Amino acid sequence: MDTKIINSEIIQILLEYIMLNITEKKQLFTFIYDVFCSKLLQMANSKEKRALLLLQIGYLYENGDGFRKDYSQANKYYSLSIKEGNSEAYTNLGDLYRKGYGVMVDFKEAKKYYDKGLILNSSSAAVALGDLYYNGYGVEKNYEKAK
């Protein structure tokens, strides 16, 4: 294959990209990212791998790893991970409520998710729940329960 043809095609794509406005660039990246995540999920060959991948995609959306933060997408993927059986996703979802990321700050809702994670032996849920009790966020301060 002629590398000059390939290089000229790449240059043409880059020039077209440069001409896009910022909104169009964000839409393009969102589309590419969503397609990439969809393909990854199709490749997951077990329920556990799918649950972990959904958790990781949620984390990427929550933290903006890649290119953008989108808390509603993080919430969606954490919820899907929970449905696939991932106990750690309860903590991540609870954290969205504790921090007010994409939702109103709601310590009681956060506690609800931490409690569910704790029932499933999530160590991160235990730590997060302890933090609520230690600081009195949405619960009465209780240093014994915080341990």
Side-chain angles (χ1 to χ4, degrees):
M1 185 170 276
D2 187 3
T3 57
K4 287 182 183 178
I5 293 173
I6 294 172
N7 288 338
S8 67
E9 288 174 0
I10 291 171
I11 289 170
Q12 182 61 38
I13 291 169
L14 288 172
L15 287 173
E16 289 175 16
Y17 174 76
I18 290 168
M19 298 306 291
L20 294 175
N21 66 39
I22 192 70
T23 301
E24 292 169 324
K25 288 177 183 176
K26 286 180 180 178
Q27 290 171 344
L28 176 62
F29 276 117
T30 298
F31 173 76
I32 291 168
Y33 192 70
D34 290 343
V35 169
F36 176 72
C37 290
S38 176
K39 292 294 181 190
L40 282 176
L41 288 169
Q42 289 173 6
M43 294 169 49
N45 58 6
S46 73
K47 188 173 181 173
E48 286 114 14
K49 286 181 182 177
R50 183 174 168 79
L52 184 59
L53 187 55
L54 288 163
L55 177 72
Q56 293 302 315
I57 293 170
Y59 180 84
L60 294 175
Y61 275 116
E62 180 183 351
N63 295 287
D65 290 350
F67 67 97
R68 68 183 171 112
K69 288 184 181 185
D70 187 332
Y71 298 126
S72 66
Q73 287 293 331
N75 191 316
K76 170 187 161 184
Y77 281 101
Y78 290 150
S79 297
L80 289 171
S81 183
I82 287 169
K83 288 180 183 175
E84 293 289 328
N86 188 302
S87 64
E88 295 302 316
Y90 282 107
T91 304
N92 294 47
L93 197 50
D95 286 347
L96 293 180
Y97 284 93
R98 185 174 57 119
K99 298 172 184 174
Y101 288 173
V103 294
M104 295 294 294
V105 171
D106 188 338
F107 295 121
K108 292 185 188 301
E109 191 71 10
K111 183 182 180 304
K112 181 180 89 172
Y113 285 111
Y114 297 153
D115 284 337
K116 289 179 180 180
L118 187 61
I119 290 168
L120 297 172
N121 297 315
S122 166
S123 59
S124 62
V127 171
L129 197 54
D131 184 58
L132 291 183
Y133 280 107
Y134 185 83
N135 292 294
Y137 295 143
V139 295
E140 190 174 322
K141 276 189 182 186
N142 186 322
Y143 297 119
E144 279 303 308
K145 286 186 178 181
K147 291 180 187 180

